[in-house]
Amino acid sequence: MELDQADEKLLPFFHGNKVLSSPPAPNAKDNLSMMHSKFICCKLYISESRNPTAIAAIDLAAKTDPQVAVLSKFEDSLYNRIRYTLVSYIIDDSSTGEVIYSPIRKVLLAMMEAAFSAINLKLHSGAHPRMGVNDDLSFHPLGQATMEDAASLAKQVASDIGNDFQVPVFLYAAAHPTGKSVGAIRRELGYYRPNHMGNQWSGTMLPDVLPIRPDEGPTNVSSERGATTVGATPFLEGYNVPVLSKDVATVRRITRSLTGRGGGLPTVQALALLHGDDCTEIACLLDPDHVSAYQVQTVVEQIAAEQGLEVEKGYFTDLTKDRMLDKYLKITDE
């Protein structure tokens, strides 16, 4: 992790009754684990993984604050998608419960600006659904942070995106007034419907005027930038299971039986996506407090066997929740 500090103006920081331009300077003997107990994880999904120049620009923007760490990246050239997992601390107002400062906010905006500058959605294609250059940001509390903290920061970042980039933003889960799920929003926007070759997504997929009103930003959509979803949820683990078949329709039926929405394992969300010439992956998000990857693997293998399909061992796409905070504190306390 680079330890260079950007010279850009910091977001306002409140301390007592004063408004400061930056957090109070820590004592040389202090470290983040001593100074803070609340931390936040943000997973930023960007619609690009084939353009090394674009990825390099986003990587550079991610290094603008030493107290924000990119703990992992997951790139898939077939999906043409990359996920950055960032962690930092948060400070909130104990009287209101609102987050009043986190260095992750400015770093996320810098990364998104770099992505918007380098990526044109009209020229993008891949085997994973998407509706924007910066497709999704999900916030997850770590340490002693609460879901309310994650929702507060998510709403602030959503407002930044809508105002600074003039991109429609849809809030979901704890960040949404009624807790609307990201899946429900995506279904209303046609997110899951391939628009190219039956199982690919290519170019702009949203209409110029949105069928539902965004929570932030304009109601019209830039074909170059698209729209963004921003939410706050419990920490979710990514686990992908390869099924050795290009019969996407059959694997979609297996996927539906696996998910909580389809009457399968509670909290599991999943998509069946063509991945190469002879494989369809079941890409899962699961709440590790309720469902294990072993359960997911077992259910997929059982249902696939009934269809005469072979299943490979699945793989995690990110760190576990416990390892994430430990890794962050080790990096920033060095």
Side-chain angles (χ1 to χ4, degrees):
M1 174 177 160
E2 297 283 340
L3 298 182
D4 53 323
Q5 178 70 46
D7 293 328
E8 299 171 13
K9 184 178 179 181
L10 288 171
L11 296 168
F13 181 84
F14 298 81
H15 184 64
N17 294 323
K18 297 180 180 180
V19 180
L20 306 177
S21 62
S22 62
N27 184 289
K29 295 182 180 179
D30 291 340
N31 56 37
L32 286 180
S33 59
M34 295 170 59
M35 294 173 60
H36 304 289
S37 61
K38 292 189 170 188
F39 301 87
I40 196 77
C41 167
C42 179
K43 300 190 178 189
L44 169 60
Y45 296 83
I46 296 175
S47 301
E48 183 58 72
S49 67
R50 301 171 185 169
N51 183 341
T53 302
I55 300 303
I58 299 165
D59 287 350
L60 185 62
K63 298 175 182 177
T64 50
D65 193 310
Q67 293 182 325
V68 180
V70 175
L71 296 189
S72 72
K73 286 167 54 179
F74 180 72
E75 302 177 63
D76 193 297
S77 62
L78 294 172
Y79 293 154
N80 201 7
R81 185 176 177 89
I82 185 169
R83 187 218 61 239
Y84 289 87
T85 299
L86 298 90
V87 172
S88 191
Y89 65 87
I90 60 174
I91 298 175
D92 61 6
D93 184 331
S94 58
S95 63
T96 66
E98 291 294 308
V99 172
I100 55 177
Y101 180 77
S102 177
I104 203 171
R105 182 176 173 183
K106 191 177 72 169
V107 171
L108 286 169
L109 293 177
M111 294 174 70
M112 296 181 74
E113 182 175 17
F116 281 133
S117 297
I119 302 165
N120 184 340
L121 192 65
K122 291 194 297 185
L123 306 177
H124 179 275
S125 64
H128 195 291
R130 77 290 182 277
M131 63 182 185
V133 168
N134 293 288
D135 196 50
D136 180 63
L137 293 87
S138 60
F139 289 83
H140 314 282
L142 296 176
Q144 295 182 26
T146 64
M147 191 58 65
E148 289 75 18
D149 293 326
S152 173
L153 185 56
K155 288 184 279 190
Q156 292 174 38
V157 172
S159 178
D160 293 336
I161 296 167
N163 291 326
D164 294 358
F165 302 126
Q166 287 300 294
V167 168
V169 182
F170 296 90
L171 296 172
Y172 65 86
H176 188 273
T178 64
K180 191 174 184 179
S181 72
V182 67
I185 294 167
R186 287 171 169 173
R187 283 188 290 275
E188 290 182 64
L189 294 171
Y191 181 90
Y192 299 113
R193 292 195 294 270
N195 65 353
H196 182 63
M197 297 174 61
N199 49 43
Q200 299 281 318
W201 285 259
S202 180
T204 305
M205 50 81 62
L206 292 174
D208 293 339
V209 179
L210 293 164
I212 56 176
R213 186 173 185 83
D215 298 283
E216 298 287 352
T219 55
N220 58 306
V221 183
S222 160
S223 58
E224 292 84 6
R225 295 188 171 191
T228 302
T229 50
V230 178
T233 73
F235 188 87
L236 302 175
E237 292 183 350
Y239 185 74
N240 291 359
V241 184
V243 180
L244 299 183
S245 172
K246 57 183 179 181
D247 183 351
V248 178
T250 297
V251 181
R252 282 179 181 156
R253 288 194 292 271
I254 296 171
T255 303
R256 195 174 301 116
S257 299
L258 169 70
T259 63
R261 186 167 180 265
L265 296 173
T267 77
V268 172
Q269 307 167 51
L271 283 174
L273 302 169
L274 191 66
H275 197 256
D277 295 332
D278 58 357
C279 176
T280 302
E281 277 197 337
I282 300 180
C284 305
L285 288 176
L286 57 97
D287 183 343
D289 292 335
H290 295 88
V291 177
S292 69
Y294 174 79
Q295 289 174 286
V296 169
Q297 183 78 32
T298 300
V299 169
V300 172
E301 289 177 355
Q302 289 174 344
I303 302 175
E306 295 171 0
Q307 303 294 324
L309 298 179
E310 185 179 348
V311 176
E312 290 188 343
K313 176 67 176 175
Y315 60 94
F316 286 99
T317 64
D318 207 346
L319 301 172
T320 63
K321 181 178 180 179
D322 292 339
R323 285 189 61 203
M324 197 162 288
L325 187 53
D326 288 344
K327 184 174 180 180
Y328 171 72
L329 293 174
K330 182 178 180 180
I331 291 172
T332 53
D333 288 350
E334 287 177 347

